[in-house]
Structures are given as structure tokens and as C-alpha cells.
Amino acid sequence: MPALAAAQVEAFAREVGAASATGSRFQTSDGRDFEVRVDGAGSSLRLSFASATAARAAPVEPDPVQSSAEDDAPLLELLAVLQDEHVSDLLLSSGLPPRVRSGGDLHTLESPILDDAGILALLAPGLDDLARAQLEARGSVDRTVELPSAALGLRFRINLFRQDRGLAAALRPIRRTPPRLADLNLPDDLYDLVAYPNGLVLVTGPAGSGKSTTLVALTEHLNQTATRHIVTLEDPIEYRYTPKRSLIHQRELGRHVEDFAGGLRAALREAPDVILVGEMRDRETIAAALTAAETGHLVLSTLHSATPWMAIDRMLDAFPGPQQPQVRAQLAGVLRAVLSQHLLVSTAPPLRVPAYEKLVVTAAAANQIRDDKVHQLSSTIQTGREDGMVPLE
């Protein structure tokens, strides 16, 4: 480009300046900003233009706040305790030392005492907006939480709840790989519980007896050995299955379905072969499970009861008296087996070992259920070894 005469530069500067000038910054009619500099004098003038937009440095975003390894160390030390296979629960209570359950007994840890803020900070990865809303509305919330910063290879089932001194939480470690029955010190012949093509199979026992974990082992066995479509309804989802021979869809209460009963009704339209129900909590869930079993599905579930016959009585008692004969007839037709499980304290590792009682619903047992003679099932188990029954001895 040929050099411009001084008069041309001056005219150009006046034209640009007319667009709107403030000091040495000019804005053109189309809104672009320029920094203009005039050098020289007389007939030797030089105009330098630079984009003012480009010249402005972009604002620097502050780095996200991250807790240092030193800050995390007390929490990592606390969570590391749960790597011990003999520890079943970690209990946190605002203003008190943490405690763990090992071998059925509680032990106080020499760890930092957490207040409400500390408990919330520890469990933050598992507390989404929905969980916080449930805690606020109901006073407690169930979730599974994974703390990647800990790098411990563990997930936790948590119950966070409000109490008189503030917040408290119960954490139970969940191993990443679904266990086998052998890992739980249970015999492989219990895999027969999921060999039925349809019907209802229950795993019962008191709280903390390992009912849910046994169901996990049975479900994973199906996953590895059978071509089934399995729908699980869980509160919350604990173990995550990797579909193998079976196709598994896991649904969580509060996230994917409203409740067990609603999830069961929906599952009937999802073409399942097997439906796992986390717990028989109420009449609606029991009724929906019986319907699912009657319509050709295998339904697996848990119930809080000490014996197989108490489990049947508890299901019947959930219904009004006039409905109970119908429910007895349904149970007699669809109930396949009841496994009642307990954990007993051992003097050597593992510190707790399972003991179980198994009812197989034979024709004779079905008649006892139908005829309201559930109390006789105890004797039926004692004499039914040839049918695969196992008494608790």
C-alpha cells in the first residue's frame, strides 16, 4: 500500500474521531473499539491502530477451592477404618467421637469429632438437592455415596438424620464387586432359590443380618448364569451390577420410582423375568408383589422377621381380617421358599457367621398356609430335610 500524505492522515483521523472519541480510544459506527496512536510531526505522520477489544485482558477466573491432602487427612483416616472387612458400620454423631461396629459391638475411634458442618461436608458427594430437601422435610434421608477423593475403593450406604444434638449418620460400606454365596459363608445350594421360573422367594431376618447382601449374591448368580431381564427396585441402589448373560435395570426410590408398590406396578409393563424388591414394607407392596408372582414373574424380596412362619404371619397381618383368606390362598399358590438368616458372633475371624433356616413350600406346606395353620410350619421344616428344608439348629 503506498504511503499516505500528511493531509490524508489528518483527514482520516478527523473522520475516525468523529465516530466518538474518548482520549485515544475510538469507536466506529459498527461498534468496534480501537486504540489510535499518532506519531511524528509535520509531513511525517504515522497512525497506529490496535483493537481495544483484543487489548483488554479476559477476566481471570479464580481457581476452585480444593481441600489439601493435609485438610483431607483426618477424614481419609476415618474412612480407611471401613476397609477392615470386620467393620460393618460407621456411626457419626454431631459433637461425639465416631464409633464403628465390629463383631456386633460398638467401638469408639480416636478420630476428630465432627459437628453438623463436618458431617455434611463428609457426605456432600451423595447429597444432591433432592436428598437435602428430603432431609429438611422428613428429618432423614437414605443414599449411597462414593467419595473419590478418598481413593479407598468403597461406596457407602448412608442414612443421614436429625436428632436432639444435631445431625447423625450411619454408614455401611458396600464392596464394589457383588459377592458370591461362598464369600458370605453360605452354601452354594442356596442358588436353587433363584432357579424357580416364577413365584415369590423371601429372604428374612432381623435388621443387619445380611438379607440384602444375600439377595445381591443370588441376583449376581442369575446375571452370570441365566438369560433373564431383571428389574430391581432399591432404596437406595447399593451394588451396581454389570449386565452379563442377563440384562439388569436398577431403579431407585425417590429418583426413578416413587415407592416400591408403584415400581412393581410399572415393572409389570417392562417385560421383566425377575423383579427384585428391596423390602416388603407395606400392604400395597405385598399386594403388588403377589400379583407380579401370580402373573408369571419370579419376585425376590426381603422382610424383617425372625423365622419363615413369622414372615408369612407378618404378610397376612398387613391385610384386614376379611381379606386374609384371599391372601392366604395367594401365598399358598405363589410362595416358593423362605430363607431366614441370622448373624452369630464368632470367636475367630470372620467375627460374625451366618446361620439360616430354609422353608421350601411343598404341597403340604402350601396347604398349611391356605388352612391358616402357619404355626405348624416349624414342624414341617424339622421333618422336611428330604425336600431341601433346613432347620435352625
Side-chain angles (χ1 to χ4, degrees):
M1 179 178 177
L4 298 176
Q8 290 176 308
V9 174
E10 290 173 350
F12 186 49
R14 284 194 301 270
E15 183 178 343
V16 174
S20 165
T22 304
S24 61
R25 178 171 295 170
F26 297 89
Q27 186 180 65
T28 63
S29 57
D30 61 1
R32 291 180 296 170
D33 291 339
F34 291 90
E35 298 286 350
V36 180
R37 180 178 176 182
V38 181
D39 296 307
S43 61
S44 299
L45 294 175
R46 182 174 69 249
L47 254 61
S48 302
F49 290 83
S51 171
T53 304
R56 286 188 220 125
V60 177
E61 295 291 336
D63 291 333
V65 177
Q66 296 181 345
S67 54
S68 66
E70 184 177 349
D71 293 336
D72 282 346
L75 296 183
L76 299 186
E77 181 180 344
L78 178 61
L79 294 174
V81 174
L82 292 177
Q83 288 187 300
D84 187 335
E85 63 180 7
H86 304 311
V87 173
S88 60
D89 299 282
L90 169 65
L91 303 176
L92 306 176
S93 186
S94 183
L96 294 176
R99 289 171 168 80
V100 294
R101 187 184 306 278
S102 178
D105 296 325
L106 285 182
H107 304 274
T108 302
L109 298 179
E110 295 182 2
S111 298
I113 295 176
L114 299 177
D115 56 11
D116 283 6
I119 293 175
L120 284 174
L122 177 64
L123 304 181
L127 299 179
D128 54 16
D129 292 341
L130 177 60
R132 293 176 185 273
Q134 289 178 350
L135 176 64
E136 188 65 29
R138 305 175 187 173
S140 65
V141 63
D142 288 300
R143 279 293 184 272
T144 53
V145 60
E146 187 167 359
L147 303 173
S149 63
L152 297 176
L154 291 176
R155 297 169 64 238
F156 307 93
R157 184 182 77 185
I158 65 169
N159 178 274
L160 177 64
F161 59 97
R162 297 193 180 279
Q163 43 91 24
D164 187 54
R165 291 187 308 276
L167 288 176
L171 290 81
R172 179 163 292 178
I174 304 170
R175 312 300 167 182
R176 288 188 178 274
T177 304
R180 302 166 301 164
L181 287 178
D183 298 328
L184 306 177
N185 295 297
L186 291 169
D188 283 354
D189 59 18
L190 292 183
Y191 286 131
D192 291 344
L193 293 172
V194 290
Y196 297 102
N198 54 50
L200 175 63
V201 173
L202 296 176
V203 179
T204 75
S209 60
K211 303 181 295 294
S212 297
T213 309
T214 298
L215 266 190
V216 168
L218 295 175
T219 303
E220 178 61 15
H221 176 74
L222 271 179
N223 184 28
Q224 294 183 12
T225 61
T227 54
R228 299 286 186 269
H229 178 202
I230 303 171
V231 175
T232 74
L233 305 170
E234 304 176 62
D235 184 26
I237 291 173
E238 296 184 14
Y239 288 88
R240 291 196 178 103
Y241 301 97
T242 300
K244 294 171 185 171
R245 294 198 68 193
S246 290
L247 174 63
I248 301 183
H249 291 123
Q250 295 180 258
R251 309 188 74 192
E252 183 173 298
L253 266 62
R255 293 178 58 207
H256 309 124
V257 294
E258 184 176 355
D259 52 36
F260 284 127
L264 268 164
R265 289 190 291 270
L268 295 180
R269 301 187 294 274
E270 294 160 4
D273 300 299
V274 181
I275 305 173
L276 185 151
V277 184
E279 184 182 348
M280 296 282 207
R281 289 182 178 172
D282 49 47
R283 181 173 62 196
E284 291 75 17
T285 302
I286 295 171
L290 291 175
T291 299
E294 284 180 320
T295 53
H297 305 88
L298 178 60
V299 179
L300 312 174
S301 191
T302 71
L303 194 69
H304 286 86
S305 68
T307 65
W309 56 93
M310 288 176 64
I312 296 170
D313 275 336
R314 184 172 179 189
M315 294 177 71
L316 291 168
D317 288 343
F319 295 85
Q323 284 185 256
Q324 290 186 9
Q326 175 191 344
V327 177
R328 278 198 297 272
Q330 286 181 289
L331 277 171
V334 303
L335 188 62
R336 300 290 180 256
V338 182
L339 179 72
S340 182
Q341 183 171 309
H342 302 261
L343 287 180
L344 306 180
V345 177
S346 171
T347 57
L351 298 181
R352 292 200 293 176
V353 295
Y356 67 93
E357 191 165 23
K358 179 184 174 186
L359 167 68
V360 177
V361 182
T362 59
N367 285 333
Q368 290 172 325
I369 295 171
R370 186 181 295 107
D371 296 339
D372 197 15
K373 297 179 180 179
V374 174
H375 61 282
Q376 296 180 359
L377 290 173
S378 175
S379 298
T380 301
I381 294 174
Q382 292 288 340
T383 59
R385 295 176 186 269
E386 290 185 359
D387 296 312
M389 302 198 199
V390 179
L392 182 64
E393 296 178 341

